[in-house]
Amino acid sequence: MTTSSALIAVSEQRCFGGKQLRFKHQSAVLHCEMQFSVFLPPQAELHKVPALYWLSGLTCTDENFSSKAGAQRVAAELGLALIMPDTSPRGADVADDPDGAYDFGLGAGFYVNATEAPFAAHYQMYDYILQELPALLQAELPLSAAKAISGHSMGGHGALVIGLRNNAEYRSISAFSPICHPMNCTWGQKALRGYLGDDETKWQQYDAAYLLAKQGSQLPILVDQGLSDNFYPAQLQTDSLVKAAEQAGVAAEIRLQAGYDHSYYFIASFIEQHLRFHARHLGLTSA
Ligand SMILES: N[C@@H](CCC(=O)N[C@@H](CS)C(=O)NCC(=O)O)C(=O)O
């Protein structure tokens, strides 16, 4: 892998005794300039801290989670860094949905390595999240190698797929309202066909329900799904993940939350439980 250039600081704010940061850098994997946000807890001034990677959903940037989820207070208490990448490559020369739709192209990278032209030139979000960003951040920021992964909707799909396929890289996986079975819903089918082509066997490597049923998981999994979510069940298909966990004999905790929708109000309501779940598995707190 080509080495990335160094980070350029974009903004810095004091937050719960730690730092809310934004950086840009030239991504060697995505071939474009990328921005991302980081929360460093106060403990990072004394020693290296583990990190939770948060993958956002359709239409988001690195700033939706940092400004809406309210995760910093508990992350500061726990000594947990938050890494918030963007949701697609960016820039004038990056291909977008031909109709400018919100569910494909810019803001909708689906955390895959695209193989289809013209998207393959930039849309390599799987490698960006799994390899380039952690290598860069562990070299430049006070982060240990210990990582967990979480996300929302398209980002919940990304967190599950990347975590399931790379059990040795992470300590725990969680998701809010994840797209559990993208091979079987219109958001997922459009994205997987567009980025990977018509051969549906190539889609399986990016389908959490398929992967969980086939290989199980060594990692603990926590999922929250709101029952008043307008994308549930059609796009999200939480039941497919429940069935896959049963089939694989995996004790995933998959919770249906009455009255909650797809928004960041839902995420804000349960993010503390997700942070404490990850902190336990990262060894920051005892069970
Ligand atoms: N714009 C789309 C929905 C996009 C959407 O709900 N995006 C979610 C992730 S899938 C999100 O987090 N939006 C940004 C936000 O709420 O801050 C629509 O109108 O149906």
Side-chain angles (χ1 to χ4, degrees), residues 56-61 63-65 67-68 102-103 152-155 177 179 187 230-231 236 262-265 267:
S56 281
L58 293 167
T59 73
C60 291
T61 69
E63 290 196 296
N64 295 71
F65 185 78
S67 62
K68 291 184 171 180
Y102 74 92
D103 56 2
H152 174 225
S153 195
M154 174 185 75
S177 340
I179 304 171
W187 273 348
N230 53 333
F231 299 117
L236 308 174
H262 197 68
S263 71
Y264 266 85
Y265 294 110
I267 297 170

Short mmCIF file of all heavy atoms in Angstrom, two decimals, residues 56-61 63-65 67-68 102-103 152-155 177 179 187 230-231 236 262-265 267, ligand 1:
data_model
loop_
_atom_site.label_atom_id
_atom_site.label_comp_id
_atom_site.label_asym_id
_atom_site.label_seq_id
_atom_site.Cartn_x
_atom_site.Cartn_y
_atom_site.Cartn_z
N SER A 56 -20.75 6.32 9.34
CA SER A 56 -22.06 6.97 9.21
C SER A 56 -22.83 6.44 8.01
O SER A 56 -22.31 5.69 7.19
CB SER A 56 -21.88 8.48 9.12
OG SER A 56 -21.65 9.01 10.41
N GLY A 57 -24.07 6.90 7.92
CA GLY A 57 -24.99 6.41 6.90
C GLY A 57 -25.10 7.32 5.68
O GLY A 57 -24.34 8.29 5.51
N LEU A 58 -26.07 7.00 4.84
CA LEU A 58 -26.31 7.70 3.58
C LEU A 58 -26.46 9.20 3.81
O LEU A 58 -27.16 9.61 4.73
CB LEU A 58 -27.59 7.16 2.93
CG LEU A 58 -27.53 5.71 2.46
CD1 LEU A 58 -28.93 5.19 2.14
CD2 LEU A 58 -26.62 5.60 1.23
N THR A 59 -25.85 9.97 2.97
CA THR A 59 -25.88 11.45 2.94
C THR A 59 -24.98 12.09 4.01
O THR A 59 -24.87 13.31 4.04
CB THR A 59 -27.31 12.06 3.09
OG1 THR A 59 -27.75 11.91 4.45
CG2 THR A 59 -28.32 11.44 2.15
N CYS A 60 -24.37 11.29 4.88
CA CYS A 60 -23.59 11.88 5.98
C CYS A 60 -22.17 12.22 5.56
O CYS A 60 -21.64 11.71 4.58
CB CYS A 60 -23.54 10.90 7.16
SG CYS A 60 -25.12 10.69 7.97
N THR A 61 -21.57 13.09 6.37
CA THR A 61 -20.13 13.34 6.31
C THR A 61 -19.54 12.88 7.65
O THR A 61 -20.24 12.25 8.45
CB THR A 61 -19.82 14.84 6.13
OG1 THR A 61 -20.18 15.52 7.34
CG2 THR A 61 -20.57 15.41 4.94
N GLU A 63 -19.16 14.71 10.04
CA GLU A 63 -19.62 15.62 11.11
C GLU A 63 -20.99 15.26 11.70
O GLU A 63 -21.35 15.81 12.75
CB GLU A 63 -19.65 17.05 10.58
CG GLU A 63 -18.23 17.59 10.36
CD GLU A 63 -18.19 19.08 10.21
OE1 GLU A 63 -18.78 19.56 9.22
OE2 GLU A 63 -17.59 19.76 11.06
N ASN A 64 -21.76 14.37 11.07
CA ASN A 64 -23.09 14.06 11.63
C ASN A 64 -22.97 13.46 13.03
O ASN A 64 -23.64 13.89 13.97
CB ASN A 64 -23.85 13.09 10.72
CG ASN A 64 -24.16 13.72 9.38
OD1 ASN A 64 -23.24 13.93 8.60
ND2 ASN A 64 -25.41 14.04 9.12
N PHE A 65 -22.11 12.46 13.16
CA PHE A 65 -21.97 11.79 14.46
C PHE A 65 -21.36 12.73 15.50
O PHE A 65 -21.84 12.81 16.63
CB PHE A 65 -21.12 10.54 14.31
CG PHE A 65 -21.01 9.72 15.57
CD1 PHE A 65 -22.05 8.90 15.97
CD2 PHE A 65 -19.86 9.78 16.36
CE1 PHE A 65 -21.95 8.14 17.15
CE2 PHE A 65 -19.75 9.02 17.52
CZ PHE A 65 -20.80 8.21 17.92
N SER A 67 -21.51 15.91 15.78
CA SER A 67 -22.35 17.01 16.22
C SER A 67 -23.70 16.57 16.78
O SER A 67 -24.34 17.33 17.49
CB SER A 67 -22.57 18.00 15.06
OG SER A 67 -23.24 17.36 14.01
N LYS A 68 -24.16 15.35 16.49
CA LYS A 68 -25.53 14.97 16.86
C LYS A 68 -25.64 13.82 17.88
O LYS A 68 -26.68 13.68 18.51
CB LYS A 68 -26.31 14.56 15.62
CG LYS A 68 -26.63 15.69 14.67
CD LYS A 68 -27.49 15.15 13.52
CE LYS A 68 -28.03 16.26 12.66
NZ LYS A 68 -28.86 15.73 11.56
N TYR A 102 -29.40 10.20 -3.65
CA TYR A 102 -28.69 10.23 -2.36
C TYR A 102 -28.12 8.87 -1.96
O TYR A 102 -27.28 8.78 -1.07
CB TYR A 102 -29.62 10.72 -1.24
CG TYR A 102 -30.66 9.69 -0.82
CD1 TYR A 102 -30.40 8.79 0.23
CD2 TYR A 102 -31.87 9.58 -1.47
CE1 TYR A 102 -31.33 7.84 0.61
CE2 TYR A 102 -32.81 8.62 -1.10
CZ TYR A 102 -32.53 7.75 -0.07
OH TYR A 102 -33.44 6.80 0.30
N ASP A 103 -28.61 7.77 -2.65
CA ASP A 103 -28.29 6.43 -2.14
C ASP A 103 -27.19 5.72 -2.93
O ASP A 103 -27.01 4.51 -2.80
CB ASP A 103 -29.57 5.57 -2.11
CG ASP A 103 -30.26 5.50 -3.46
OD1 ASP A 103 -29.75 6.07 -4.44
OD2 ASP A 103 -31.34 4.87 -3.53
N HIS A 152 -24.05 3.36 11.63
CA HIS A 152 -25.49 3.57 11.50
C HIS A 152 -25.94 3.32 10.06
O HIS A 152 -25.34 3.87 9.13
CB HIS A 152 -25.80 5.03 11.89
CG HIS A 152 -27.21 5.45 11.68
ND1 HIS A 152 -27.55 6.65 11.09
CD2 HIS A 152 -28.38 4.83 11.98
CE1 HIS A 152 -28.87 6.77 11.05
NE2 HIS A 152 -29.39 5.67 11.58
N SER A 153 -26.96 2.49 9.90
CA SER A 153 -27.61 2.28 8.60
C SER A 153 -26.58 1.76 7.58
O SER A 153 -26.03 0.68 7.79
CB SER A 153 -28.27 3.59 8.16
OG SER A 153 -29.16 3.35 7.12
N MET A 154 -26.26 2.51 6.51
CA MET A 154 -25.19 2.07 5.63
C MET A 154 -23.89 1.86 6.42
O MET A 154 -23.11 0.94 6.12
CB MET A 154 -24.97 3.10 4.52
CG MET A 154 -23.79 2.83 3.62
SD MET A 154 -23.49 4.15 2.43
CE MET A 154 -22.75 5.42 3.45
N GLY A 155 -23.68 2.67 7.43
CA GLY A 155 -22.48 2.53 8.27
C GLY A 155 -22.58 1.34 9.22
O GLY A 155 -21.56 0.76 9.60
N SER A 177 -29.50 0.43 13.46
CA SER A 177 -30.32 0.36 12.24
C SER A 177 -29.51 -0.09 11.02
O SER A 177 -29.58 0.55 9.96
CB SER A 177 -30.94 1.72 11.91
OG SER A 177 -30.98 2.58 13.02
N ILE A 179 -28.12 -1.90 7.62
CA ILE A 179 -28.63 -2.59 6.43
C ILE A 179 -28.05 -4.00 6.52
O ILE A 179 -26.90 -4.25 6.18
CB ILE A 179 -28.18 -1.89 5.13
CG1 ILE A 179 -28.59 -0.42 5.13
CG2 ILE A 179 -28.75 -2.61 3.91
CD1 ILE A 179 -27.99 0.40 3.99
N TRP A 187 -31.79 -0.49 -1.63
CA TRP A 187 -30.57 0.31 -1.41
C TRP A 187 -29.33 -0.53 -1.73
O TRP A 187 -28.43 -0.10 -2.44
CB TRP A 187 -30.46 0.72 0.06
CG TRP A 187 -31.15 1.98 0.45
CD1 TRP A 187 -31.69 2.94 -0.37
CD2 TRP A 187 -31.36 2.44 1.80
NE1 TRP A 187 -32.21 3.96 0.39
CE2 TRP A 187 -32.03 3.67 1.72
CE3 TRP A 187 -31.05 1.92 3.06
CZ2 TRP A 187 -32.39 4.41 2.86
CZ3 TRP A 187 -31.41 2.65 4.18
CH2 TRP A 187 -32.07 3.88 4.09
N ASN A 230 -38.67 4.39 9.53
CA ASN A 230 -39.39 4.26 8.25
C ASN A 230 -38.66 3.38 7.23
O ASN A 230 -39.25 3.03 6.22
CB ASN A 230 -39.74 5.64 7.65
CG ASN A 230 -38.54 6.55 7.54
OD1 ASN A 230 -37.58 6.41 8.30
ND2 ASN A 230 -38.55 7.47 6.59
N PHE A 231 -37.41 3.02 7.50
CA PHE A 231 -36.69 2.11 6.60
C PHE A 231 -36.75 0.66 7.08
O PHE A 231 -36.15 -0.23 6.47
CB PHE A 231 -35.24 2.55 6.43
CG PHE A 231 -35.10 3.93 5.84
CD1 PHE A 231 -34.51 4.96 6.56
CD2 PHE A 231 -35.59 4.21 4.57
CE1 PHE A 231 -34.39 6.23 6.02
CE2 PHE A 231 -35.48 5.48 4.02
CZ PHE A 231 -34.88 6.50 4.75
N LEU A 236 -33.74 -2.65 5.92
CA LEU A 236 -32.79 -3.01 6.99
C LEU A 236 -32.81 -4.50 7.33
O LEU A 236 -31.77 -5.07 7.64
CB LEU A 236 -33.08 -2.14 8.22
CG LEU A 236 -33.12 -0.63 7.88
CD1 LEU A 236 -33.55 0.20 9.08
CD2 LEU A 236 -31.77 -0.14 7.37
N HIS A 262 -35.26 6.35 12.71
CA HIS A 262 -33.95 6.14 12.08
C HIS A 262 -32.96 7.26 12.40
O HIS A 262 -31.84 7.24 11.93
CB HIS A 262 -34.18 6.07 10.56
CG HIS A 262 -33.05 5.45 9.77
ND1 HIS A 262 -32.73 4.12 9.86
CD2 HIS A 262 -32.17 5.98 8.89
CE1 HIS A 262 -31.70 3.87 9.05
NE2 HIS A 262 -31.35 4.98 8.45
N SER A 263 -33.40 8.23 13.19
CA SER A 263 -32.64 9.47 13.30
C SER A 263 -31.51 9.40 14.33
O SER A 263 -31.38 8.43 15.08
CB SER A 263 -33.58 10.61 13.70
OG SER A 263 -33.97 10.42 15.05
N TYR A 264 -30.76 10.50 14.39
CA TYR A 264 -29.71 10.63 15.40
C TYR A 264 -30.29 10.78 16.81
O TYR A 264 -29.57 10.62 17.79
CB TYR A 264 -28.74 11.76 15.04
CG TYR A 264 -27.55 11.20 14.27
CD1 TYR A 264 -27.61 11.01 12.89
CD2 TYR A 264 -26.39 10.80 14.93
CE1 TYR A 264 -26.53 10.46 12.20
CE2 TYR A 264 -25.32 10.25 14.25
CZ TYR A 264 -25.40 10.08 12.88
OH TYR A 264 -24.34 9.52 12.22
N TYR A 265 -31.60 11.10 16.95
CA TYR A 265 -32.21 11.09 18.29
C TYR A 265 -32.19 9.66 18.84
O TYR A 265 -32.01 9.44 20.04
CB TYR A 265 -33.64 11.63 18.25
CG TYR A 265 -33.68 13.10 17.88
CD1 TYR A 265 -34.18 13.51 16.65
CD2 TYR A 265 -33.21 14.07 18.76
CE1 TYR A 265 -34.19 14.84 16.30
CE2 TYR A 265 -33.22 15.41 18.41
CZ TYR A 265 -33.71 15.80 17.18
OH TYR A 265 -33.71 17.12 16.83
N ILE A 267 -29.92 7.33 17.93
CA ILE A 267 -28.51 7.04 18.23
C ILE A 267 -28.12 7.70 19.56
O ILE A 267 -27.50 7.06 20.42
CB ILE A 267 -27.61 7.54 17.08
CG1 ILE A 267 -27.96 6.77 15.79
CG2 ILE A 267 -26.14 7.38 17.43
CD1 ILE A 267 -27.31 7.33 14.54
N1 LIG B 1 -32.35 11.57 2.49
C1 LIG B 1 -32.89 10.24 2.62
C2 LIG B 1 -32.60 9.65 3.95
C3 LIG B 1 -31.15 9.73 4.32
C4 LIG B 1 -30.95 9.32 5.76
O1 LIG B 1 -31.90 9.06 6.52
N2 LIG B 1 -29.72 9.27 6.15
C5 LIG B 1 -29.40 8.85 7.48
C6 LIG B 1 -28.49 7.65 7.38
S1 LIG B 1 -29.23 6.38 6.39
C7 LIG B 1 -28.70 9.95 8.25
O2 LIG B 1 -27.99 9.69 9.19
N3 LIG B 1 -28.91 11.21 7.83
C8 LIG B 1 -28.20 12.34 8.38
C9 LIG B 1 -28.66 12.85 9.72
O3 LIG B 1 -29.74 12.47 10.19
O4 LIG B 1 -27.91 13.66 10.31
C10 LIG B 1 -34.38 10.25 2.42
O5 LIG B 1 -34.91 11.32 2.27
O6 LIG B 1 -35.00 9.18 2.44
#
